[in-house]
Amino acid sequence: MAKSNKNFSDVSYSLKIGSSTCHVLSRHMKNLKYNNNYHSLPEDVSIRCKSANVSRTSSPRSQRSNSTQRFISREHRPKTSHSCTITTDINLRTKQQQQQQQILNQIHHRRYSPLKYKKTNQTLDKTVKTNQKVLTDKFCQETTKEKHSSIKKKKKTSIETTIDNQKQEIIQIFNEQKQSLTQLLEQHISTFTTSSINIIKQIVKETLESQEHTSTKEFEHTLIQAIQQELQQTLSKNIDKSQTNSFDVNTLNQLEDILIQTIEKYIATTNKNDNIALNNLFIEQKQVLVDTLTQQRSTPSIDLIKQAVIDALREHNSRSMTPNTRTNITNHRKSNTKITNNEVKIAANLNQTRVDAAFRQQRDTIVVNRYLRDTVRKWTNVRSISSLVNKIQACGTNDFENAWLLFCWIGQNISHDIYCQNNSAENVFHNRIGSCQGFVNLYYECCLLLNIQCLKISGYIRENFLKKNEDLKKYSHSWNAIVLDQYTYLVDPTWSVSINHNTNQIQDYYFLTSSEEFIYTHYSTDYQLLQPKITKQEFLSLPIIKSNYYRLNLSLLAPKQGYNQTDENIFKISIKTPAYVDLYASLKIDNIEYPCHLYTLCQRDIYQTDTINCFLAPPTNGLYEIRIYAKTNNETTYQDSIYMQLNILNMIQAITFPIIYQSFFEYKCILIEPFRRLVKKNEYLFIHMKIPDAILIKIKNGDDYIIPNKDEYKNGLLKKEIYIQGDLHICAQWNDKTNRQISTICIFNMI
C-alpha cells in the first residue's frame, strides 16, 4: 500500500505472524515525476532490517517490553529515516496483553531460530529488490526515451540553423567570387588593351613608313589588312580559346577550393541533390568566366583601335611635317574622333614688359579714376596739340597718368574713318577724324611732347574669322607701344573709340594691355612682347577674344584653340565665369544662325560653380562659327566675348536640346541628363537635374502627373526614371516673393 503527498510517499508492508498482523512503514521518499506520473523507489530492505535487528539486540528486554505497551498516534510518530509500529486490531484491544505475549513469544522464537528468520528476511529482500529493479528499469527506459526525443528535436533545430548558416555562407562566397571575377576581368582587359594599342601603333608607324607613295585607298586597305593579320597572330600566340592562362586557372582553382570547403563543412546535413546543384552552378559560372575572358582578349574595343591609329598618325606627322603643314592636314583630314589643334603656348617676355598683379593694380587704379575722366571731358574745345599737352601735364602727376589722359582724350574726341586720306597728326587733331594710322600718328606726336618714348607698330588684326580664300593682309592695322619705367606696354588708340560711338564712353581695355591678351586680336611679326613669338598660322588658330571678355574677368578653360573638329553631336566649351555674369552662345553656318534655345545650352557646372559650360548641338556636318556673349546680372544687353570655329565631319545623328524656360536660368537649374529633346513613347527615360531649393517638383507625363518622392528629389537633385507616355514637362515651385504657383523648367517632346 502507498500513500502520496506532494513531496513524500509512505510505503508499508504487512506481515502476518501467527494470528497477529504486523504493519511495517517504510521511510519517506521524494517523488520522481516523469510525464506526470509518480514513481517510488523502495530502499534496500536488507539495510532497514539490519538496522531493526541491531536495534532489537542492543535494547534490554524490559525496555522493549515497555515500548511495545506504549501507543503512539500517527500524527505524533517521528519522521525518521525508518520507523516500526506494531499495532493490533481495534477489536482485539481487550485482549492486548495476550496478544503482546504471543508477539513476544514469536519474537523470542525468532531470536532463537535465526535460520528461519533469515530465510524469511531474504525472501522479503528478494521481492523488494525485484520491484525496485522493475521500477528502476521502467524509469530509465522512459528517461532515456525522453532524452533521445529532446536530443532529436535539438539536433533538428541545429540542423535547420546550420543549413541556413550554410546557405548564407555559400551566398557570401559566391558574392566574393563574383567580385574576384570582376577584378580579374578588369585586370585582363587593362593588360590586353595596353598591349593591343602598342601593337596597333607600331603597325601604323611601320605601314606609314613603307607606304609613303601609295594612294589613299591603297594605304587604307594595306593598313587595315596589316592590323588584322598582326592581331590574329598575336591572339593566336597568347590566347587559347578553350583554355585560360595560368593566372586564370590558379584564380579559378582558389575560388573553387573556397567554395568546396564551405559546402563540405556541413556535408552531413545537406542533401545530395543540393551538392550536385552547387557543383553544376560553379561549373557553369567557371565556363562563363572562361568564355568572357576569351572574348575580351580576342575582340579589342573598336574605339581603342581608332584611338591607337590616331595616336600613331599624330606621332608620325609630328616627326615628318612642319607645323604649318601639320595644322593644314589636321584641319582637312576626315576623322571619326575629336581632333583639335595643339594648344598654342602664350607667355609674356618679362624682360621687356610687365604683367604682374602689382602693375595691373597700378594700371586699373588710373583707369577707374573718375576725376581724370571728368577732367578730360572739359577739354573738348582744345584748339592745338600743344594746348592739349599742356593741360595733360598740368593734370597728370606721372607718365602713367599722362599716357592715360592722352589715350582718354583721343577716344572721346576723334572719330574713326578707314577711308580717311590725310592721317597726319595735325590733320587728325583739327578734323577730329582719321584712320588707324592717323590715330597712331597723333598719339605718337603727343607722347614725344610729353617726353614719353613711343613706337609705331604695324601688323594685322582679327575681329572675325577669315573666310575661305581670304588673306590676313586684308586686315592690316597699326597701334602704339610706349616705354614707362624701362618697360614696354601696348596701346591701341584706335580701339579706344566706343563701339556705340558714344563720346562719353571709351574702350579703356586697349590701354597698357597685357601682351598675353593683346595677341588674341593683334598680330605683328616683330613686336609681340612674347617669349617665344608665335607664327601667323598659330595666331589664326587662336579664338577671337573681345574686350568684354576681359572686362567681365572671363577665362577660357577648354578648348584653348579657336579651330576645333569633331564627329560628336555635342560640343562643350568651358569658361570660368564670376557669379554675377551670365552667358549665352550662338551657332551659325554660312550666315544662317540656328535658334539658340534648341541648339545651344549654357549652364553652370554641376561641380565647379565658378565655371559655365556652353553645350552646342550642330544640326549637320559643316564649318560653324560659335559666338559667346556675356553680361552682368544688372545689365540688359549681352556683348560678344569669344569667337570660335567648329568643323563637324561624319556626324552620325544630330540632336536638339530640351526646350528651356526662363525659370531654368532664374533659379540656377542644371540639366545633367538627358540632353536630347526628342524621346520615344514607351521608353524608360532617366531624368537627372539640379533644381535648387524647390518646395514642389511636378512632372507632367502626357496626361499623367508625377510627384517625385523624397528619395527621388533630395538636396536639390532630381533623379527619376519615367516611362514615357507623352510630352514630358518638368515643373517646380519655389517659396519666394513672386507668388507663382508653379513654373515650367523644361520640356521633352515625344515622337
Side-chain angles (χ1 to χ4, degrees), residues 273-300:
N273 294 332
D274 294 338
N275 292 331
I276 295 173
L278 288 171
N279 289 332
N280 292 337
L281 180 60
F282 179 81
I283 293 171
E284 180 181 353
Q285 190 174 14
K286 180 176 179 180
Q287 186 60 43
V288 170
L289 172 64
V290 173
D291 295 341
T292 305
L293 285 174
T294 303
Q295 182 180 4
Q296 289 291 341
R297 289 195 189 92
S298 59
T299 311

Side-chain angles (χ1 to χ4, degrees), residues 243-258:
Q243 296 179 351
T244 57
N245 61 20
S246 59
F247 177 75
D248 300 335
V249 173
N250 292 335
T251 304
L252 290 172
N253 289 340
Q254 183 180 2
L255 293 170
E256 187 175 12
D257 290 341
I258 296 173

Side-chain angles (χ1 to χ4, degrees), residues 118 199 254 257 285 321 335 388 577 610 616 622 632 657 746:
K118 183 175 182 180
I199 292 171
Q254 183 180 2
D257 290 341
Q285 190 174 14
M321 299 180 183
S335 172
L388 175 63
T577 309
D610 63 345
L616 302 111
T632 65
F657 293 111
C746 62

Side-chain angles (χ1 to χ4, degrees), residues 546-560:
K546 299 293 185 175
S547 61
N548 193 53
Y549 173 94
Y550 299 104
R551 180 180 73 88
L552 298 179
N553 297 315
L554 305 181
S555 177
L556 182 61
L557 300 178
K560 294 282 191 179

